[in-house]
Amino acid sequence: FFVLWRCFWTNFTALSICGKTVKPIRVACNTVGILLLLYLAAVMLINSRYHSLKYTVDTVPADAPRTALVFGAGISGIGAAALLLDKGAKVTLYDGNAELDAAGIKKKIDDKCVSAENLDIVFGEFPDGLYGQTDIAVLSPGIPADLPIVNKLRDMGKLITGEVELAYSVGKGVVYAVTGTNGKTTTTTLLGELMKAAHKHVDVVGNIGNPYTEAAAHQEEDSVTVAEISSFQLETISTFHPHAAVLTNITEDHLNRHHMMENYINAKKNIALNMTGDDLLVLNYEDEVLRAFARETAAKVCYFSSAGKPDAGCGLEGNGAVPLSQGQDDKGTVLLSAEPAVKGIPVCLYLN
């Protein structure tokens, strides 16, 4: 664009009419050139922000890390710190808020683990000395994975993971997960109650307010985890593998964190990152993005719909009853229909 503009400016703006140079043409060329350069700069800026989100997320090693840095002193960070301490790691809990009560937070951690003797708490400005004093950094959901401090740790070769990934690496039993822009908590709560009616050990965790790390420390092989997982948490998963998952819908949200809608959608899709043909993914048939995603995932797909009866499947009856018969479309995809409040029903059908 720049070269073309200069050629045009040089060769065609010196034309004269009746012996006079037509300066408006030169002005117009300058204006067009500047606008094109501004456009290119804007495209480069957007692309750089997008590519900055293509970070790597590491798998939590089987052996407990010797030193760990936990970002965020909220309930997720406290749960992660307590879990790591119980695994024998020396833990530093960091939060950028210098006004937090260090003594109070340390007591909360001490109440959740065997001993907080190997715990350090740092609030406020991040000390340069911490960069070389950790094997792994665990991010709470509220900590962006492209934070400059985190990027520097990543560049130094430090392992970067999230609180959900840490909990999953320690937890036992099977996991059922729920995500989406709307309806996550309602669906997670219902699914949790249905599971409690059928299983002895059920933990309802995640974005619903109960730290996954806290439950993972005490789970047995027959444990069932029902997890509400946000897009923030899905940014930092690596091996997290639910046996069944629900994706309620995707609409524009949290773009101040994800920067672009594409990043937000991809974060939500991560719920099925490690799912296979033996797993079930329940999707909203009324969401075009999710219908397209059904063709991408390796999991078995089951739809729910509140807008009527699909060609193959079932829908709401006139009295509001939800028949639970199943059908298949021409691609063999299982179809179910249910009100938004009962998105957990397909999961329970699948689990018999």
Side-chain angles (χ1 to χ4, degrees):
F1 285 148
F2 179 77
V3 172
L4 289 174
W5 160 58
R6 290 303 300 176
C7 289
F8 185 79
W9 187 88
T10 301
N11 295 306
F12 297 102
T13 59
L15 294 176
S16 61
I17 299 177
C18 298
K20 295 183 179 180
T21 300
V22 183
K23 293 183 179 179
I25 296 178
R26 181 168 293 186
V27 172
C29 290
N30 278 323
T31 302
V32 170
I34 291 171
L35 290 174
L36 288 172
L37 290 173
L38 288 174
Y39 169 75
L40 288 173
V43 170
M44 291 172 66
L45 176 62
I46 291 172
N47 282 339
S48 68
R49 294 193 74 181
Y50 169 67
H51 288 299
S52 71
L53 296 183
K54 290 183 176 292
Y55 41 73
T56 57
V57 178
D58 297 297
T59 302
V60 178
D63 297 329
R66 291 171 299 172
T67 58
L69 174 62
V70 176
F71 281 84
I75 59 173
S76 294
I78 289 172
L83 179 59
L84 287 163
L85 286 166
D86 276 345
K87 295 298 178 182
K90 187 180 187 305
V91 178
T92 299
L93 178 66
Y94 171 73
D95 197 295
N97 185 356
E99 304 300 320
L100 293 175
D101 177 14
I105 289 174
K106 185 168 186 177
K107 185 179 185 309
K108 289 180 181 179
I109 295 174
D110 200 21
D111 291 341
K112 296 178 184 295
C113 64
V114 175
S115 172
E117 183 179 348
N118 289 325
L119 173 68
D120 289 328
I121 295 179
V122 178
F123 292 154
E125 187 175 350
F126 190 85
D128 288 339
L130 277 183
Y131 285 110
Q133 297 179 9
T134 185
D135 296 326
I136 187 171
V138 180
L139 309 184
S140 296
I143 307 299
D146 60 342
L147 200 68
I149 296 172
V150 178
N151 282 337
K152 184 171 180 179
L153 286 166
R154 187 179 288 112
D155 292 341
M156 294 173 66
K158 305 297 182 180
L159 298 179
I160 308 295
T161 192
E163 172 251 353
V164 166
E165 183 69 20
L166 173 65
Y168 180 77
S169 71
V170 174
K172 298 176 182 178
V174 294
V175 179
Y176 309 123
V178 179
T179 194
T181 305
N182 307 109
K184 294 188 297 294
T185 302
T186 302
T187 306
T188 303
T189 301
L190 175 64
L191 186 56
E193 292 302 314
L194 291 168
M195 291 300 159
K196 287 176 183 178
H199 299 278
K200 184 176 180 181
H201 301 119
V202 178
D203 295 304
V204 181
V205 302
N207 199 55
I208 200 168
N210 304 317
Y212 189 2
T213 44
E214 199 170 310
H218 311 289
Q219 288 181 332
E220 303 295 338
E221 295 299 336
D222 64 344
S223 292
V224 174
T225 300
V226 179
E228 177 185 341
I229 309 294
S230 71
S231 60
F232 295 176
Q233 292 166 315
L234 287 168
E235 279 186 325
T236 52
I237 67 164
S238 176
T239 62
F240 178 70
H241 182 172
H243 183 47
V246 181
L247 219 170
T248 60
N249 69 330
I250 298 181
T251 58
E252 187 173 302
D253 201 10
H254 300 306
L255 296 193
N256 58 330
R257 165 75 171 258
H258 297 289
H259 306 311
M260 298 174 66
M261 188 62 184
E262 184 178 3
N263 295 330
Y264 177 60
I265 292 172
N266 288 336
K268 288 296 189 184
K269 288 180 177 179
N270 274 349
I271 199 164
L273 180 66
N274 298 298
M275 296 180 81
T276 70
D278 295 326
D279 305 315
L280 176 72
L281 180 62
V282 180
L283 300 176
N284 185 344
Y285 188 75
E286 310 311 320
D287 191 308
E288 292 182 4
V289 172
L290 297 184
R291 285 207 306 274
F293 182 44
R295 296 189 290 272
E296 303 171 16
T297 180
K300 287 195 284 277
V301 172
C302 171
Y303 290 116
F304 70 88
S305 171
S306 60
K309 183 177 180 180
D311 292 337
C314 62
L316 294 175
E317 295 178 342
N319 61 1
V322 184
L324 298 179
S325 59
Q326 299 185 37
Q328 292 187 337
D329 64 10
D330 56 355
K331 295 182 179 180
T333 300
V334 178
L335 295 171
L336 282 169
S337 181
E339 280 287 354
V342 287
K343 301 178 185 77
I345 285 179
V347 177
C348 294
L349 283 175
Y350 174 69
L351 299 173
N352 196 23

